[in-house]
Structures are given as C-alpha cells and as structure tokens.
C-alpha cells in the first residue's frame, strides 16, 4: 500500500527538480495531476502543531503573525530502519539530522525569497522530504494561514493574496483538503471550512480536523461536530489535542505528547466512544490510506496523461532537432546530413512530390512560345524591309537567279531576335529554381536550428544556380546561333524556281524587285523562320533542362561539399551556431521526456501488480 504513495512522492520530487510546470504544453502537468493533501487553516488554528504531530518532530518555525509565508511541500517517507533525517530540494546533497536546523533552514529559505524583514508572502514553494521509521508515506502541502486583516508592516492586499494562493492549490480536483479548525471557536467563522466549502461544496475532497478540543469552555464539547451533526462532511471529522505553548516551551517530545493525547480521549467521558478515530496518529494513518485509494483511482487518468504528454514531448523534441555533435567528424557528418535533407526536399519540388516544379513546364509551354509569337516576323518581313535588305545584299552586282545573300540576311535578322526569348526562358527557369531553393530552405526543419548554416547553404545553392544559368545561356544561344550560321539547304531546294513558274531570269533589275517577287521572298523566309522556331521550341527547353534543371538535381551542392571538407573545426562549429535558447529548450524537453517515460514505466509496473 505504501508503494503507490512512495511512487507519487518520487514523481513529484522529479517534477519539482525539473520545474515541470508545463511551459509550452497544452496538456496538464504531471505534478498537477498527482494527488496531494493541502493543509488549510486560519492563523493560530493549530495548523503547524497538527503537522508536527503527524511527523512526530518539532521542525516548523513558530511565532506571532504570519509564520508560514511560503507553501511547504512536505513529503514523508517511511524507512524500515536507520536514523531519521530530512532533505531540502534546494540543498540536495545535504542531510539534516537536527530538526532544529530544519526549522532554521525553512525560516532562512523563506527570507531568501521574501526578504528577512518582509511580511509579504511568496507562492514559490519550499520542498522538504523527511525520512523516518516513525512516519507514514504521505505528501502534505502546508499553506500560509488565512487571515482577516493586514497588520502593521503587511501590504493591504495580504488578506486577498493569501486567499488566492490557498485557492490556487485547493481548487485543483486532485487536491485533498485538510481543513483545520479550532474547537474553541464557532465553526461558522472557520476560515478553513469557508474556503473549502467554496471549492468543494459537497465535501467530497475535504477532511475536517478539530484542534484545541482540550481548550473548550467548561461544560461544552465537540461531540456534535466530531459525529458529523454540526457540519457534515463526506469523511468523519478527526479531533486532535496538540501540545500547549507551555509544553512547547518545556520541549515536551512528540512521543509523550501523543501519549497524553491518547489518554485525553480515553479518559474524557464525552469522547471515550470516539477514541479509536481520534488523535494525530490516527489522522496520519487515515490520510495515508485515503491517499493510496485516491492514487489507485487516478492511475488510468495518469497513464493517459503521460502517454499524451510523451507523444507531445517527442514531437517537440523532433521539431527542435538533434543536439550538435562535439567532434569535427560528427559536426561534418551532421552538416552533410542536413544538406542532404535540404537537397532531397529541393528534388521533390522538381519531381512533383512537392509543388513548384510545374512552373518550369509552364515556361516551356506558355511563356517561351508566347514570347516568340510576339516577335511578329511578318512585320519584320514587310515589303520595304525585304526590298532594303535584298538591294543591300546585291551590292553593285544584281543577283542572277536567286538573291542568296538577301535570303541569308533576312533569315539572320529574324533569327537573331529569337535570342531575347531564349535568354528570357533561361532567366525564368533560373528564377523558379531560386524560389524553390528558398522554399526548400524554409521547409528543411534542421536548417532552422542553425542560422549561419542556413545562410551558407542558401548562398552556395544560389551560386551553383548562377553558374548553371551562365552555362545554359551559352548553350541556348549557341542553338540559335547555329541556326543562323548554317541554313537548311533542302528547304530552299524544294522551293519552286522562277523558270518553273514561267519567270524569265533575263528580266531587268527593276522587274526583279517588283512587289510580287519581293512578297514571294518574304513568304519563303517566313516559312523557313517558322520551321526553325518550331525546332527551337523543342531544342531550347531540352538545353535548359539539361544545363539547369538536371544539373541542379545532380550537383547543386557539390562545390559547397568540396569546400566543407577543407574547413577546420572552428569553422564547422560556426556553421552549427544553434540558438542557446533552443539548446536549453531541447535539454529541458529531453529531461522531461525521461521523467515521463520513467513515470510511465513505474506506474505501469504498479498497475500490473495490483
């Protein structure tokens, strides 16, 4: 039965050590989901005395006014044998065997947070674990005592501040409320009962503890309350008799105090029939059993929460990426792997697995043909332009049969204008490839970790594309120039000659340049240019794909890899300049993930053993 509570204590300590408060998580924290008992009461209600009676040790600071100014998370661990000792979470390597020193450290640690002379409170808890063969396994949270007015030196908001702090603990559905009320005051004015009723109106999570029974006025008793008639709770009230101030001043030990408490209930006629469920010893055992029952009932919910949180943490850890390797070889390998991931993303855009590559095809199917069509060769081959170029090509000697030089000049003047659309196609594909580079950089999650590497990879990829564009431009313009440099003779041999059409080659020069003749020349040239354009519409895309797209897929980062292999350790480290905040976040997530996996294994082991 103690195993479950010990397990919860272990998980709570681990949560506290890691600061597991759920930053960046949409899920409840593991700490919030673990059952705990919060001790609530007004100032001077005997709250501290109850805790010390349960523990069996003097260890809490005492005094007038607000003594408990920070929550004290007290974890009791039953050990089979050995000397009892205490440990603070903020002093993990120090064991306290002197409980007077424990009291002083609680006071000192409170002052460190709130100021020595201050009377303000802080919600930052102090975590204390006590290991003893004389305690039951239990977790208790001692909260500042509720008050009704601010005294001198306290801020005006102290009353509301304390109530808000107490409420923040006890309103959690997994919190068990231990409401401490003095028997020598009217229960209707009890601060503990008032606030517990507000957060737990049915009393399903509230245990009532009645203190100072021995200090009630003569002729009065607390039987009605202890038997549930004065104020009914789901669980029976427990009465306790704490040490008096005189006992504390005389340093009466807890063993003697517990014996006197038992004697009081056994010898007082009004309470004799309730003896078996009265006293601080019974209170500790009863709370331990109840806490174990509650933990058992919460196991399925805890398992579900842990599973969901592990999944969330694994996703977050994957998003943050792997930690940076320490050695040069590891760094180089890591950079290469990141670059390969980027390169693969880029290829997927080109191959159609991701969007973007289709824009290149649009250049070839739409943009490039439309640009050629806009050249309007028919206007270039107007009557005046044909006559001018034919006449200039003849020089002083008119052509005899066909104006060959005139044809060449007309064709060349048309084909040279194709260079513009060809270069524009090269540049358009280059622009698309650059956009895909930037898109792929953004989609490569590993590169988001390392700003310098991202800039270097982006720059190296764009430099490669620039080189490929230059080579593609040369190859593409060479295709156009080749068409200008060597005409397809067969095309012109198939054209009908003048004599075949009834023409007379002996006509005068003036007859040679009549409109019908010039129109036929222009028509022949236009037919040839259209034939060449049809071929270039196929060959230029092939050249661009070969020189730019294919080459980008094959060797985009080859230059970068060559230079990378020659870099020193310091330069490799600069490329992997991860944001320290990301490193810290990854470490924190990894530790939380380890905690949750360990908790999952421990809880499953306990669940299977039930």
């Amino acid at each position: 039965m103690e195993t479950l509570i010990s397990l919860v204590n272990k998980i709570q300590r681990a949560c506290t050590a890691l600061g597991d408060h759920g930053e960046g998580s949409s899920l409840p924290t593991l700490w919030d989901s673990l059952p705990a008992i919060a001790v609530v009461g007004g100032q001077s209600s005997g709250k501290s005395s109850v805790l010390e009676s349960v523990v069996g040790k003097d260890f809490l600071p005492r005094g007038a006014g607000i003594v408990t100014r920070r929550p004290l998370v007290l974890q009791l661990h039953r050990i089979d044998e050995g000397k009892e000792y205490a440990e603070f979470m903020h002093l993990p390597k120090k064991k306290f065997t002197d409980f007077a020193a424990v009291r002083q450290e609680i006071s000192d640690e409170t002052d460190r947070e709130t100021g020595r002379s201050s009377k303000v409170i802080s919600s930052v808890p102090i975590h204390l674990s006590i290991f003893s063969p004389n305690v039951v396994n239990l977790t208790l949270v001692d909260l500042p005592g509720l008050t009704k007015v601010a005294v001198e030196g306290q801020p005006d908001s102290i009353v509301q501040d304390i109530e808000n702090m107490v409420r923040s603990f006890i309103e959690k559905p997994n919190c068990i409320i231990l409401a401490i009320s003095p028997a020598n005051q009217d229960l209707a004015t009890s601060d503990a009962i008032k606030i517990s009723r507000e957060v737990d109106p049915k009393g399903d999570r509230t245990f009532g503890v009645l203190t100072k029974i021995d200090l009630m006025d003569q002729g009065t008793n607390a039987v009605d309350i202890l038997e549930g008639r004065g104020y009914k709770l789901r669980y029976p009230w427990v009465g306790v008799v704490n040490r008096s101030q005189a006992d504390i001043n005389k340093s009466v030990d807890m063993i003697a105090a517990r014996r006197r408490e038992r004697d009081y209930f056994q010898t007082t006629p009004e309470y004799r029939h309730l003896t078996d469920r009265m006293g601080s010893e019974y209170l500790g055992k009863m709370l331990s059993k109840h806490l174990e029952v509650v933990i058992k009932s919460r196991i399925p919910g805890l398992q579900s929460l842990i599973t969901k949180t592990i999944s969330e943490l694994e996703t977050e850890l994957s998003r943050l990426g792997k930690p940076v390797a320490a050695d040069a070889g590891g760094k180089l390998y890591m950079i290469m792997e990141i670059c390969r991931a980027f390169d693969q993303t880029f290829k997927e855009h080109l191959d159609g697995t991701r969007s973007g590559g289709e824009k290149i095809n649009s250049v070839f199917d739409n943009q490039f043909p439309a640009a050629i069509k806009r050249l309007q060769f028919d206007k270039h081959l107007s009557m005046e332009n044909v006559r001018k170029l034919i006449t200039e090509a003849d020089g002083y000697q008119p052509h005899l049969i066909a104006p060959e030089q005139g044809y060449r000049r007309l064709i060349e003047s048309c084909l040279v204008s194709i260079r513009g659309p060809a270069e524009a196609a090269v540049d358009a594909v280059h622009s698309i490839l650059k956009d895909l580079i930037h898109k792929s950089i953004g989609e490569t999650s590993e590169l988001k970790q390392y700003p310098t590497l991202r800039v270097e990879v982006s720059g190296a990829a764009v430099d490669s594309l620039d080189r490929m564009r230059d080579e593609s431009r040369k190859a593409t313009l060479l295709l156009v120039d080749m068409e200008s440099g060597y005409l397809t003779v067969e095309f012109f041999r198939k054209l009908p000659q003048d004599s075949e059409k009834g023409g007379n080659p002996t006509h005068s020069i003036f007859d040679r340049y009549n409109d019908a003749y010039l129109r036929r020349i222009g028509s022949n040239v236009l037919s040839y240019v259209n034939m060449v354009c049809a071929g270039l519409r196929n060959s230029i895309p092939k050249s661009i794909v070969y020189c730019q797209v294919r080459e980008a897929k094959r060797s985009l980062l080859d230059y970068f890899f060559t230079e990378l292999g020659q870099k020193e350790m310091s330069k490799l480290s600069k490329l992997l300049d991860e944001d320290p905040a990301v490193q810290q976040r990854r470490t924190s997530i990894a530790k939380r993930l380890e905690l949750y996996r360990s908790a999952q294994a421990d809880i499953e082991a306990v669940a299977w053993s039930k």
Side-chain angles (χ1 to χ4, degrees):
M1 291 180 65
E2 297 172 350
T3 306
L4 278 173
I5 299 176
S6 299
L7 171 61
V8 168
N9 284 349
K10 170 186 171 184
I11 296 172
Q12 285 175 331
R13 289 199 307 276
C15 287
T16 304
L18 290 180
D20 181 41
H21 304 302
E23 292 90 343
S25 172
S26 60
L27 297 170
T29 65
L30 185 54
W31 172 270
D32 288 339
S33 300
L34 295 171
I37 300 173
V39 185
V40 181
Q43 288 183 30
S44 303
S45 63
K47 186 163 56 69
S48 296
S49 294
V50 171
L51 283 173
E52 288 184 332
S53 295
V54 170
V55 176
K57 284 290 178 184
D58 283 308
F59 69 98
L60 293 174
R62 293 181 178 275
I66 303 177
V67 179
T68 305
R69 292 186 284 129
R70 290 176 61 182
L72 175 68
V73 179
L74 176 63
Q75 292 185 330
L76 305 181
H77 306 269
R78 183 179 181 85
I79 55 178
D80 293 333
E81 57 185 16
K83 192 173 182 179
E84 53 193 1
Y85 65 93
E87 286 182 350
F88 286 94
M89 185 68 71
H90 62 275
L91 298 171
K93 296 181 180 179
K94 185 174 181 179
K95 288 185 178 181
F96 291 78
T97 55
D98 180 1
F99 281 80
V102 172
R103 180 190 303 113
Q104 187 60 48
E105 181 57 32
I106 292 173
S107 180
D108 292 345
E109 178 62 15
T110 298
D111 291 341
R112 291 184 195 112
E113 180 68 27
T114 63
R116 186 169 296 277
S117 60
S118 171
K119 293 188 178 181
V120 300
I121 62 170
S122 169
S123 61
V124 179
I126 298 173
H127 293 267
L128 173 64
S129 294
I130 294 178
F131 300 82
S132 170
N134 302 316
V135 299
V136 292
N137 288 310
L138 200 57
T139 298
L140 299 163
V141 183
D142 184 22
L143 297 170
L146 296 160
T147 184
K148 291 181 171 62
V149 293
V151 299
E152 184 178 355
Q154 294 176 341
D156 294 337
S157 62
I158 190 71
V159 176
Q160 191 61 48
D161 291 344
I162 293 176
E163 182 175 328
N164 291 342
M165 182 194 298
V166 171
R167 194 180 297 275
S168 70
F169 277 86
I170 66 174
E171 66 187 1
K172 296 173 184 175
N174 290 309
C175 180
I176 299 165
I177 305 169
L178 193 62
I180 311 294
S181 301
N184 60 349
Q185 293 179 14
D186 188 351
L187 197 62
T189 64
S190 169
D191 297 312
I193 292 298
K194 177 179 179 293
I195 197 169
S196 62
R197 180 189 292 170
E198 291 174 2
V199 298
D200 181 32
K202 295 182 179 179
D204 293 336
R205 298 186 287 116
T206 303
F207 283 83
V209 177
L210 211 56
T211 63
K212 304 184 180 182
I213 292 178
D214 55 325
L215 301 180
M216 295 181 70
D217 292 339
Q218 187 122 13
T220 62
N221 62 62
V223 173
D224 282 350
I225 297 173
L226 294 176
E227 290 184 344
R229 292 191 295 272
Y231 182 79
K232 189 172 181 60
L233 294 171
R234 178 177 177 182
Y235 305 102
W237 283 77
V238 177
V240 296
V241 175
N242 298 324
R243 292 179 302 166
S244 66
Q245 189 60 48
D247 292 336
I248 295 171
N249 294 339
K250 293 176 184 178
S251 299
V252 175
D253 64 38
M254 287 297 176
I255 296 176
R258 284 181 175 177
R259 190 184 306 115
R260 284 175 54 182
E261 183 183 43
R262 284 196 299 271
D263 290 344
Y264 175 82
F265 286 111
Q266 288 173 354
T267 58
T268 303
E270 291 89 351
Y271 305 119
R272 191 177 296 138
H273 66 291
L274 300 172
T275 301
D276 60 341
R277 59 182 182 87
M278 293 291 120
S280 53
E281 236 182 316
Y282 168 79
L283 176 64
K285 292 177 182 178
M286 181 267 296
L287 290 175
S288 180
K289 288 180 181 179
H290 180 74
L291 186 58
E292 191 256 347
V293 170
V294 172
I295 292 171
K296 271 187 179 181
S297 68
R298 297 288 193 276
I299 283 180
L302 283 173
Q303 288 175 314
S304 176
L305 167 67
I306 289 172
T307 300
K308 289 180 181 178
T309 307
I310 286 175
S311 176
E312 185 185 70
L313 292 174
E314 287 175 339
T315 301
E316 176 71 0
L317 203 58
S318 175
R319 186 186 67 79
L320 292 173
K322 298 177 182 178
V324 178
D327 59 298
K331 290 180 188 295
L332 181 61
Y333 177 79
M334 192 171 186
I335 293 171
M336 297 282 284
E337 285 296 296
I338 292 172
C339 290
R340 289 191 186 101
F342 155 73
D343 194 47
Q344 181 59 35
T345 301
F346 177 69
K347 288 176 181 176
E348 288 174 1
H349 279 293
L350 292 176
D351 292 338
T353 306
R354 300 172 187 253
S355 63
E358 73 281 355
K359 294 179 181 178
I360 295 175
N361 191 50
S362 179
V363 171
F364 301 147
D365 283 354
N366 302 307
Q367 182 177 326
F368 180 52
I372 291 178
K373 190 174 183 180
R374 285 195 297 271
L375 293 176
Q376 297 181 330
F377 295 120
D378 52 344
K379 290 185 179 180
H380 186 71
L381 296 172
S382 65
M383 192 74 68
E384 292 77 11
N385 204 38
V386 171
R387 180 181 284 108
K388 178 176 178 294
L389 290 180
I390 291 294
T391 304
E392 289 175 354
D394 280 348
Y396 74 93
Q397 175 67 56
H399 61 270
L400 300 178
I401 300 176
E404 181 177 323
Q405 290 302 320
Y407 269 110
R408 289 186 181 279
R409 289 195 181 183
L410 284 169
I411 291 171
E412 288 173 4
S413 66
C414 288
L415 294 183
V416 75
S417 62
I418 301 176
R419 291 172 65 96
E423 285 188 279
V426 170
D427 291 337
V429 171
H430 177 69
S431 178
I432 292 170
L433 291 174
K434 279 179 64 176
D435 288 343
L436 293 181
I437 288 290
H438 297 313
K439 195 171 184 180
S440 300
I441 290 283
E443 292 173 349
T444 305
S445 59
E446 296 88 343
L447 283 173
K448 295 177 182 177
Q449 292 176 240
Y450 312 109
T452 301
L453 180 60
R454 182 169 65 244
V455 171
E456 288 288 325
V457 171
S458 179
V462 171
D463 287 345
S464 291
L465 290 183
D466 289 344
R467 287 190 292 270
M468 295 168 191
R469 176 199 57 197
D470 295 342
E471 291 300 317
S472 179
R473 181 180 287 121
K474 290 177 185 177
T476 301
L477 294 181
L478 192 60
L479 288 175
V480 178
D481 294 343
M482 284 190 294
E483 292 292 349
S484 301
Y486 186 81
L487 306 184
T488 304
V489 179
E490 288 299 317
F491 178 86
F492 292 97
R493 286 177 178 170
K494 292 178 181 178
L495 293 176
Q497 301 300 315
D498 285 349
S499 56
E500 296 173 4
K501 292 291 185 178
N504 186 354
T506 60
H507 282 334
S508 70
I509 186 67
F510 301 105
D511 293 329
R512 288 281 187 186
Y513 297 141
N514 64 43
D515 289 354
Y517 182 67
L518 294 175
R519 271 196 297 272
R520 189 151 59 86
I521 291 175
S523 176
N524 291 340
V525 169
L526 182 59
S527 297
Y528 183 80
V529 170
N530 286 337
M531 179 194 74
V532 171
C533 287
L536 290 175
R537 275 199 293 267
N538 292 322
S539 59
I540 286 178
K542 291 179 180 180
S543 173
I544 292 174
V545 168
Y546 185 85
C547 295
Q548 289 175 262
V549 180
R550 175 185 170 276
E551 198 62 20
K553 288 177 64 177
R554 191 179 68 84
S555 60
L556 183 64
L557 293 178
D558 281 6
Y559 281 90
F560 179 70
F561 288 152
T562 301
E563 294 176 354
L564 192 62
Q566 301 169 357
K567 289 185 181 292
E568 299 174 354
M569 172 76 165
S570 59
K571 292 184 178 179
L572 292 175
S573 298
K574 287 181 180 179
L575 290 176
L576 297 173
D577 60 338
E578 187 175 34
D579 184 349
V582 175
Q583 295 178 2
Q584 187 176 0
R585 177 68 177 163
R586 183 190 298 110
T587 302
S588 173
I589 292 293
K591 287 180 178 178
R592 287 186 66 202
L593 185 58
E594 183 181 358
L595 162 66
Y596 277 70
R597 284 173 174 165
S598 175
Q600 184 182 51
D602 290 341
I603 290 175
E604 285 180 355
V606 171
W608 279 105
S609 66
K610 289 194 299 180

